[in-house]
Amino acid sequence: RFYPVCMVVPHIKQFRALMLPQVLLIHGFNVKDRGVGSVGELRGYLAAEGFPYHIMKYGFFELWKTRTKNDDVARDVAAFVKNSDRPVVIIGHSNGCTITYLAMRYYDAVPIHCVFVNPALPADITLPKVCSYDVWHSPSDKPVKWARMLPKSKWRPWGAMGAYGATKNGTNRGVDVIDYNKEKDYSVSSAGHSDVFKTPLLSYFGPKIIQTMKKRIGL
């Protein structure tokens, strides 16, 4: 039976939406708006591409809580990934990347892809091979350089990956990870720790982060 295009196209779009992965957004520490003004700024770009999304609003963490409470949030992230009715892509910023790492390393979370924006992780840490990674970094990122000076902790393994990327000096050889230097490799420069989530850089890097993610997961 022949169906008019006007009837078929909506069904194709609905089917495509059912096949898209769920995106979990995880904000950093010292955030009082529960991520709405950082990773939450990507919601419009995700919605435009049909991706369902959820923000892991773990609340305001001062420095001490990142050492004592990251573990709890990592458990929640792992539970979200395991209980999702579709594959999960995680987009994390800063300490949100640390929490994602902990969820994979200690609680068997298996997302299909991770997008790390200025991750507060050591540049030489070995990322779990359970998924692929996009690592957006800026050499001038001062907060992550400062973070590596803090005392080492299992639940706060901070460092300067947000400045140097994840593949410096051969680190993560064998892991499917690509570094993106957003300070030097693009026509618009992002030198800060979270400036991609703010005007005017958001309109440039927001779509680029999502489109890169799509290509990396084969869409």
Side-chain angles (χ1 to χ4, degrees):
R1 184 178 177 181
F2 175 77
Y3 292 93
V5 173
C6 63
M7 295 178 61
V8 174
V9 170
H11 290 291
I12 293 176
K13 290 182 177 179
Q14 290 173 11
F15 178 76
R16 179 173 174 270
L18 289 174
M19 300 299 291
L20 289 174
Q22 170 88 31
V23 177
L24 179 63
L25 301 160
I26 310 179
H27 62 81
F29 98 110
N30 204 25
V31 170
K32 295 182 179 180
D33 65 358
R34 306 183 78 184
V36 173
S38 54
V39 289
E41 295 289 357
L42 298 176
R43 290 175 296 172
Y45 302 108
L46 290 168
E49 297 292 337
F51 287 97
Y53 58 81
H54 175 77
I55 302 179
M56 181 63 68
K57 300 177 180 178
Y58 64 85
F60 178 67
F61 271 24
E62 295 176 336
L63 192 58
W64 178 248
K65 278 192 175 182
T66 61
R67 189 182 178 97
T68 61
K69 297 294 185 181
N70 272 355
D71 178 28
D72 295 335
V73 187
R75 289 175 186 268
D76 291 341
V77 169
F80 182 95
V81 174
K82 292 175 183 179
N83 294 328
S84 176
D85 59 0
R86 61 177 77 199
V88 175
V89 172
I90 298 178
I91 301 179
H93 172 237
S94 191
N95 188 55
C97 305
T98 304
I99 289 169
T100 302
Y101 167 82
L102 297 173
M104 292 186 288
R105 174 71 174 79
Y106 296 108
Y107 299 116
D108 301 319
V110 184
I112 61 169
H113 185 65
C114 288
V115 178
F116 286 172
V117 181
N118 292 82
L121 282 166
D124 61 352
I125 202 168
T126 300
L127 296 173
K129 294 183 179 180
V130 300
C131 70
S132 52
Y133 301 84
D134 293 335
V135 178
W136 296 84
H137 68 287
S138 304
S140 297
D141 185 347
K142 293 181 180 179
V144 294
K145 292 179 180 178
W146 166 80
R148 65 183 173 176
M149 305 300 179
L150 293 170
K152 299 294 184 183
S153 166
K154 177 179 179 179
W155 302 118
R156 192 180 63 198
W158 278 3
M161 187 184 290
Y164 303 118
T167 60
K168 185 180 180 182
N169 299 326
T171 300
N172 285 303
R173 189 176 286 115
V175 181
D176 185 3
V177 54
I178 298 178
D179 285 332
Y180 304 88
N181 187 329
K182 57 188 178 65
E183 183 174 355
K184 297 183 177 180
D185 291 347
Y186 298 94
S187 58
V188 175
S189 178
S190 162
H193 184 63
S194 56
D195 55 3
V196 294
F197 303 120
K198 299 177 175 59
T199 304
L201 297 186
L202 176 64
S203 61
Y204 179 82
F205 280 102
K208 192 167 291 293
I209 289 169
I210 302 307
Q211 291 302 320
T212 301
M213 177 196 79
K214 284 183 61 179
K215 291 179 181 178
R216 293 279 280 141
I217 62 176
L219 295 177

